[in-house]
Amino acid sequence: MAETMHSLRKTAVTLSDADFGRFRDYFYRRTGIYFEDSKRYFVDKRLLERMRLTGHEEFRGYFAALRFRAVGDEFQNLVNAMTVNETYFMRERYQFDCLVEEVLEEVMRRREGSRPIRIWVIPSSTGEEPYSLALTLLSRWPLIDSVDVEIVASDIDTSVLERARLGVYTGRSLQHVDSELRRRYFNELGGGRWQIADFIRDAVSFSRVNLLEPEHLRGYRDFDIILCRNLLIYFDDASRRRAASILYDALDEGGFIFLGHSESMSRISSSYQVRRFKHALVYQKPWKRPRSEP
């Protein structure tokens, strides 16, 4: 009987409006991600699950432990639970067309010496994004055999970074990868699973980055291209402006940033120039130093 009553108490745990508000403000300050009231069910479900897994039956105790780091890596576990990572290979392919057919041509014209072209993919999610970039360069860019390219891929979620490094995917993720690319660059594991080739996995450097934590961003500078697609939609206006400034600082002069199809840098920051290429609209960090002619 006692066990039954204890179980009933556990299933009856709920969050008050005040609890939700306190958590939302705290999570926003730490990550820049703001949960609208319409996301209340999503937040409650995952927050209550974290409370259950850490042995807390009341929000007050869990929140105190979370804030004072009494439970070690719990904040990272919470971030992993609260972030959505829905993606697939070659998403918004027209942007890859733009990159390989138009943008890289400009990057090469201003490239100095033999330095590598540096590309930052954030968020990386489970790896489809940076690996799609690598596949596009390998299969479609004529200069890939003579020019070094450095690909850095980052995410705030450590669980998806682990999956990205492993590089194992199902047919759903690969539905837009043609059979020739799949044959050349993936190994079939059975059970409808495929693993991207080792040399491609080794070519991508994965790292955990929270854009709102300055200590994470040391060394993230002088990128020629940034792919930041479908991240800013999770931020409010203030966080978007801050992120836009951070990404601007991470770009080399004349560097380019790609956003998701529903995102617009023009509504966030006046620092970028809008570039309308044949395939896509891209944002560029203006030149300040004199440009050397090719």
Side-chain angles (χ1 to χ4, degrees):
M1 182 67 175
E3 290 183 1
T4 301
M5 291 300 294
H6 179 69
S7 177
L8 287 173
R9 284 199 305 272
K10 289 182 70 175
T11 58
V13 174
T14 58
L15 298 180
S16 67
D17 291 343
D19 293 339
F20 173 74
R22 290 178 68 196
F23 171 75
R24 174 168 63 181
D25 291 345
Y26 171 75
F27 198 79
Y28 168 70
R29 289 195 304 272
R30 293 288 304 274
T31 68
I33 298 172
Y34 184 80
F35 293 115
E36 301 286 352
D37 289 343
S38 60
K39 298 290 187 181
R40 175 68 186 271
Y41 174 78
F42 170 88
V43 173
D44 282 13
K45 181 179 178 181
R46 284 156 179 76
L47 188 53
L48 289 170
E49 177 66 8
R50 290 308 314 165
M51 288 169 56
R52 183 186 69 80
L53 291 173
T54 54
H56 290 87
E57 294 188 21
E58 294 184 354
F59 173 77
R60 181 178 179 180
Y62 175 78
F63 193 55
L66 186 69
R67 292 179 64 196
F68 293 104
R69 304 191 178 189
V71 283
D73 297 328
E74 179 53 24
F75 181 73
Q76 183 61 58
N77 293 331
L78 188 61
V79 167
N80 294 354
M82 290 291 176
T83 48
V84 178
N85 299 284
E86 183 69 23
T87 187
Y88 50 88
F89 277 86
M90 302 301 178
R91 182 175 60 169
E92 299 178 13
R93 186 188 294 266
Y94 64 91
Q95 292 193 337
F96 292 109
D97 295 339
C98 179
L99 187 149
V100 77
E101 295 178 17
E102 301 172 287
V103 168
L104 280 173
E105 182 178 344
E106 285 204 19
V107 171
M108 286 299 297
R109 283 205 300 266
R110 63 179 174 79
R111 178 171 174 257
E112 298 176 352
S114 59
R115 78 171 186 85
I117 292 174
R118 303 190 71 225
I119 305 177
W120 189 18
V121 181
I122 180 171
S124 69
S125 188
T126 45
E128 288 92 335
E129 191 95 344
Y131 291 143
S132 292
L133 170 64
L135 291 174
T136 300
L137 295 175
L138 284 168
S139 61
R140 298 182 53 194
W141 194 41
L143 298 180
I144 190 60
D145 290 331
S146 57
V147 177
D148 290 334
V149 179
E150 178 184 352
I151 301 176
V152 179
S154 305
D155 205 285
I156 194 174
D157 185 335
T158 55
S159 65
V160 300
L161 288 170
E162 291 176 5
R163 292 168 59 189
R165 293 186 183 102
L166 186 61
V168 175
Y169 302 98
T170 64
R172 184 179 183 281
S173 289
L174 294 167
Q175 58 185 312
H176 299 297
V177 177
D178 64 51
S179 58
E180 177 61 18
L181 283 181
R182 195 179 299 197
R183 183 189 66 79
R184 291 176 62 188
Y185 299 117
F186 289 83
N187 299 311
E188 189 170 5
L189 301 179
R193 298 182 308 142
W194 300 72
Q195 185 173 39
I196 198 159
D198 290 349
F199 77 93
I200 298 180
R201 286 191 289 141
D202 292 341
V204 179
S205 174
F206 289 97
S207 60
R208 179 185 179 268
V209 167
N210 180 347
L211 280 180
L212 299 191
E213 293 186 15
E215 65 271 19
H216 286 194
L217 298 167
R218 297 188 184 97
Y220 289 82
R221 291 290 186 272
D222 302 324
F223 286 99
D224 298 291
I225 298 167
I226 296 177
L227 272 66
C228 183
R229 309 196 300 174
N230 303 311
L231 172 65
L232 301 181
I233 56 175
Y234 297 104
F235 291 173
D236 70 347
D237 289 343
S239 294
R240 289 187 188 110
R241 287 191 294 270
R242 187 174 174 187
S245 177
I246 291 168
L247 294 169
Y248 184 90
D249 290 341
L251 281 171
D252 193 10
E253 289 184 18
F256 298 90
I257 182 167
F258 290 79
L259 300 181
H261 73 276
S262 64
E263 299 169 315
S264 171
M265 193 65 81
S266 301
R267 295 195 292 266
I268 303 170
S269 171
S270 60
S271 298
Y272 295 84
Q273 292 179 343
V274 181
R275 296 292 307 277
R276 299 182 183 277
F277 291 98
K278 178 178 66 175
H279 293 290
L281 185 150
V282 187
Y283 301 92
Q284 185 176 27
K285 180 175 181 176
W287 288 91
K288 292 183 181 178
R289 64 179 185 268
R291 296 181 60 177
S292 58
E293 294 300 324

